[in-house]
Amino acid sequence: MPHRFEADVKAWDGKSKTAIEQVYDRACTSSTFLQDVLALFSEADAQVGATWLLKKHLDSGNEIDAADTIPVFRMLDRLEHWEACLHVLQCLPAFSVPSRYKKKTETFLRRCLADENKFVRAWAYNGMYELAKQYPQYRVEVSQLLETALEDEPASVKARVRRCVANWF
């Protein structure tokens, strides 16, 4: 069954912030909003819009229950567009990574660390930091990873890495 705003998300040009904000404004009060957004993660032509809607929802002060994040973690290896990856990376600080998705999350983050897009890489470092906060076995490696990034990455990536280092455990 199509979701109420699926056609609007798929029709979004990926550029007009006003258009996607209007979709959010119309849909966000629905009791099934989160489930509808997360269901769209599985559709390649809706991923960028759906991930944007999730990020907007969290940025608007809404929280997400741990159980509701499971579809996000299930879809990590199927996110196809760099913007969808970026939006999910930017949402990670609001999530607890379930232990059964720890390895899948790590794999996703490592893939994003190798992305050619600087924003994706910057937020992937942040994601590794978030993973290390939750799972101490990653701390030594992530600490080294952040130190190397401060030497090797461009300034735009270093800015995000510096925030992680400043908040280091």
Side-chain angles (χ1 to χ4, degrees), residues 8-9 69 72 109 126 133 140 154:
D8 294 335
V9 172
T69 65
V72 176
L109 292 170
N126 194 83
K133 272 182 22 183
V140 171

PDB file of all heavy atoms in Angstrom, residues 8-9 69 72 109 126 133 140 154:
ATOM      1  N   ASP A   8       4.949  12.329  -3.327  1.00  0.00           N
ATOM      2  CA  ASP A   8       5.593  13.632  -3.153  1.00  0.00           C
ATOM      3  C   ASP A   8       7.097  13.478  -2.934  1.00  0.00           C
ATOM      4  O   ASP A   8       7.878  14.256  -3.467  1.00  0.00           O
ATOM      5  CB  ASP A   8       4.987  14.387  -1.964  1.00  0.00           C
ATOM      6  CG  ASP A   8       3.544  14.779  -2.194  1.00  0.00           C
ATOM      7  OD1 ASP A   8       3.141  14.913  -3.366  1.00  0.00           O
ATOM      8  OD2 ASP A   8       2.814  14.937  -1.197  1.00  0.00           O
ATOM      9  N   VAL A   9       7.480  12.482  -2.151  1.00  0.00           N
ATOM     10  CA  VAL A   9       8.902  12.247  -1.893  1.00  0.00           C
ATOM     11  C   VAL A   9       9.605  11.823  -3.177  1.00  0.00           C
ATOM     12  O   VAL A   9      10.687  12.318  -3.501  1.00  0.00           O
ATOM     13  CB  VAL A   9       9.106  11.191  -0.774  1.00  0.00           C
ATOM     14  CG1 VAL A   9      10.573  10.801  -0.634  1.00  0.00           C
ATOM     15  CG2 VAL A   9       8.566  11.726   0.556  1.00  0.00           C
ATOM     16  N   THR A  69      14.439   2.584  15.245  1.00  0.00           N
ATOM     17  CA  THR A  69      15.653   2.782  14.453  1.00  0.00           C
ATOM     18  C   THR A  69      16.073   1.512  13.709  1.00  0.00           C
ATOM     19  O   THR A  69      16.895   1.583  12.794  1.00  0.00           O
ATOM     20  CB  THR A  69      16.843   3.238  15.318  1.00  0.00           C
ATOM     21  OG1 THR A  69      17.195   2.202  16.240  1.00  0.00           O
ATOM     22  CG2 THR A  69      16.539   4.533  16.042  1.00  0.00           C
ATOM     23  N   VAL A  72      16.352   1.568   9.990  1.00  0.00           N
ATOM     24  CA  VAL A  72      17.485   2.355   9.508  1.00  0.00           C
ATOM     25  C   VAL A  72      18.730   1.460   9.461  1.00  0.00           C
ATOM     26  O   VAL A  72      19.432   1.420   8.445  1.00  0.00           O
ATOM     27  CB  VAL A  72      17.748   3.579  10.413  1.00  0.00           C
ATOM     28  CG1 VAL A  72      18.996   4.329   9.949  1.00  0.00           C
ATOM     29  CG2 VAL A  72      16.539   4.499  10.451  1.00  0.00           C
ATOM     30  N   LEU A 109      30.033   2.692   8.087  1.00  0.00           N
ATOM     31  CA  LEU A 109      30.882   3.836   8.405  1.00  0.00           C
ATOM     32  C   LEU A 109      32.210   3.763   7.658  1.00  0.00           C
ATOM     33  O   LEU A 109      32.693   4.769   7.131  1.00  0.00           O
ATOM     34  CB  LEU A 109      31.119   3.917   9.920  1.00  0.00           C
ATOM     35  CG  LEU A 109      29.888   4.275  10.745  1.00  0.00           C
ATOM     36  CD1 LEU A 109      30.163   4.097  12.229  1.00  0.00           C
ATOM     37  CD2 LEU A 109      29.408   5.682  10.440  1.00  0.00           C
ATOM     38  N   ASN A 126      32.491  11.288  12.430  1.00  0.00           N
ATOM     39  CA  ASN A 126      31.595  11.525  13.559  1.00  0.00           C
ATOM     40  C   ASN A 126      30.857  10.238  13.939  1.00  0.00           C
ATOM     41  O   ASN A 126      30.675   9.935  15.118  1.00  0.00           O
ATOM     42  CB  ASN A 126      30.597  12.633  13.200  1.00  0.00           C
ATOM     43  CG  ASN A 126      29.876  13.165  14.410  1.00  0.00           C
ATOM     44  OD1 ASN A 126      30.392  14.009  15.110  1.00  0.00           O
ATOM     45  ND2 ASN A 126      28.676  12.675  14.646  1.00  0.00           N
ATOM     46  N   LYS A 133      31.760   5.713  21.316  1.00  0.00           N
ATOM     47  CA  LYS A 133      31.129   6.131  22.574  1.00  0.00           C
ATOM     48  C   LYS A 133      30.285   4.998  23.143  1.00  0.00           C
ATOM     49  O   LYS A 133      30.255   4.777  24.348  1.00  0.00           O
ATOM     50  CB  LYS A 133      30.229   7.357  22.353  1.00  0.00           C
ATOM     51  CG  LYS A 133      30.939   8.644  22.465  1.00  0.00           C
ATOM     52  CD  LYS A 133      30.102   9.898  22.296  1.00  0.00           C
ATOM     53  CE  LYS A 133      28.644   9.858  22.507  1.00  0.00           C
ATOM     54  NZ  LYS A 133      27.975  11.153  22.221  1.00  0.00           N
ATOM     55  N   VAL A 140      40.306   2.848  20.883  1.00  0.00           N
ATOM     56  CA  VAL A 140      41.718   3.001  20.494  1.00  0.00           C
ATOM     57  C   VAL A 140      41.825   3.219  18.993  1.00  0.00           C
ATOM     58  O   VAL A 140      42.483   4.163  18.532  1.00  0.00           O
ATOM     59  CB  VAL A 140      42.554   1.778  20.946  1.00  0.00           C
ATOM     60  CG1 VAL A 140      43.960   1.828  20.350  1.00  0.00           C
ATOM     61  CG2 VAL A 140      42.610   1.702  22.459  1.00  0.00           C
ATOM     62  N   PRO A 154      41.084  17.174   4.249  1.00  0.00           N
ATOM     63  CA  PRO A 154      40.952  18.612   3.973  1.00  0.00           C
ATOM     64  C   PRO A 154      40.294  19.341   5.148  1.00  0.00           C
ATOM     65  O   PRO A 154      39.662  18.719   6.005  1.00  0.00           O
ATOM     66  CB  PRO A 154      40.069  18.672   2.728  1.00  0.00           C
ATOM     67  CG  PRO A 154      39.488  17.327   2.550  1.00  0.00           C
ATOM     68  CD  PRO A 154      40.283  16.356   3.347  1.00  0.00           C
TER      69      PRO A 154
END
